[in-house]
Amino acid sequence: MTLTVPCLFGLESLVADEMRRLQLQNVRAENGRVHCEGSMADIARLNINLRCGARVLMELGSFPAKDFEALFQGVLALPWEDFIPRDGEFPVKGYSLNSTLHSVPACQAIVKKASAKRLGNAYGCETLPETGSRYQIQFAIIKDQATLYLDTSGEGLYKRGYRARNMGAPLRETLAAALVTLSRYRGKDPFCDPFCGSGTIPIEAALIARNKAPGMYRRFSAEAFSWMDPAVWGEVREEAKDKEFHGKYQILGSDNDPKCVSLSIANARKAGVADCICFKDGDATKMDLPAQNGVLICNPPYGQRMLEQQSAQRLYAALGRHLRYADGWKKYIITSEPEFEHYFGRRADKKRKLYNGMIKCDYYMYLGKR
C-alpha cells in the first residue's frame, strides 16, 4: 500500500531520510509530504519511530475531480467496506489547493455522502450507527486531482505524550526534533539549550541521543482498526526498544523562569529521559557554557510572539556578545526576526527556511571554528 507522511514545509528531506533508515521502499518527497510503499507493520513502524513527520496516512485511491459529480463517483468507487466496519465512525476532513472544487465544507459533505452510500450498500442499512472505533477519512484535492486517505495516527505525531502543558510560545516536538537532527547531534558532544521553556528541545535531543522511539508510550488510531493485527504493535515497540542506547550524556536545559525549569523536569520524567538531562534556571546572556566544545540549539522569544520586537532585538544582541568567543560551540538558532544576523553580530555559516506553526522562520547555523 502507499503511505503518505505530511510534514512542515522545509522538513521533507529529513522525513524522507527517516523513512529510508526504516527501510521503507520507493520513498519520494514533494512539497509538504513524503510518500512510500509499505505494509501493515510499516504503519506501526512509521507511527512509533518517526520524529519529524506530522502523521501517517494510508492512501485508498486517487482520481480526477473537476466537479462534484466526479468527486462523488470517485469516492463511491473506493472499497470503503474493506477498511471501515459496520459500526465504524468515519468523520471527514481535508483541503483543496489550486482546484475547481475550492469549497472545503462542500467537498467534505460530498465525500461523507459517497462513502456513507458505499458502506450502507455493503452492510445493507440506510443509517450507519458510527458507534465504534474512529476511522478518520482525509482528502486532498490538488490541481483537480483528488486523493483519499485513512489517518492511522489519530492525534498528530508531535503529541509524544510527555508535554501536558507548555509555557508561553511552545515549539512542536516534531520541529524540535528536526532542529536537533539538522545539527547532526547524536549524543557524543555536550548539548545546551539556554531558552528551554518546557524542555522540548533538550528532551528531543535526549531521545535522539538514546535512539529512543518518540511514539513508544502513546496510542494511535490504527491500533483499534479491526483489520490490524494487535500483535504487530507490540512487536514493533519491542523492535524499537532493542535499538535503544544506554550511555551517559551531557545535556543542559536552562531558562530564566524557575516555573519553566520545574515543568521541564516533569516533562523529561514523562519522556523517560530525566536521567540524562540537567535543567537549571539562569540568564542565557550571562550563564557559562558547561564545556569548551558542544552543540547549542535554542528557540529564543520572537518579537511578534512573546516580547516586543525591540526587546527581542536587544536580547539577540546581548546573546551575540555573550557567545562571541564560544568558538568551540556549534550554535543553531531559530527565529522569525529577518535582521537577526545584524543584532547577533555575525553572519551565519548556513541558513535554512523553516516554519514554526504558521510563522516563517530562519534557522541560523554557526558551525564554530573553521
Side-chain angles (χ1 to χ4, degrees), residues 34-35 42 55 74 80 97 130 132-133 140 156 168 264 289 298 332 353:
V34 185
H35 309 281
D42 290 321
R55 59 183 63 249
W80 296 103
L97 296 173
E130 296 197 54
S133 298
S264 295
L289 292 171
C298 63
Y332 300 83
K353 291 191 182 302

Side-chain angles (χ1 to χ4, degrees), residues 37-53:
E37 306 303 320
S39 63
M40 290 186 189
D42 290 321
I43 290 176
R45 195 166 286 114
L46 288 169
N47 273 301
I48 290 170
N49 289 284
L50 281 180
R51 300 186 189 281
C52 304

Side-chain angles (χ1 to χ4, degrees), residues 2-16 19-20 27-36 59 95 97 140 142-143 145 147 149:
T2 298
L3 302 175
T4 296
V5 178
C7 61
L8 290 170
F9 287 105
L11 304 188
E12 297 88 350
S13 62
L14 300 186
V15 174
M19 292 162 77
R20 292 187 185 100
V27 176
R28 52 206 186 276
E30 58 183 68
N31 283 344
R33 51 189 183 166
V34 185
H35 309 281
C36 70
E59 184 177 321
Y95 63 90
L97 296 173
I142 303 174
K143 294 182 179 179
Q145 185 76 12
T147 307
Y149 306 94

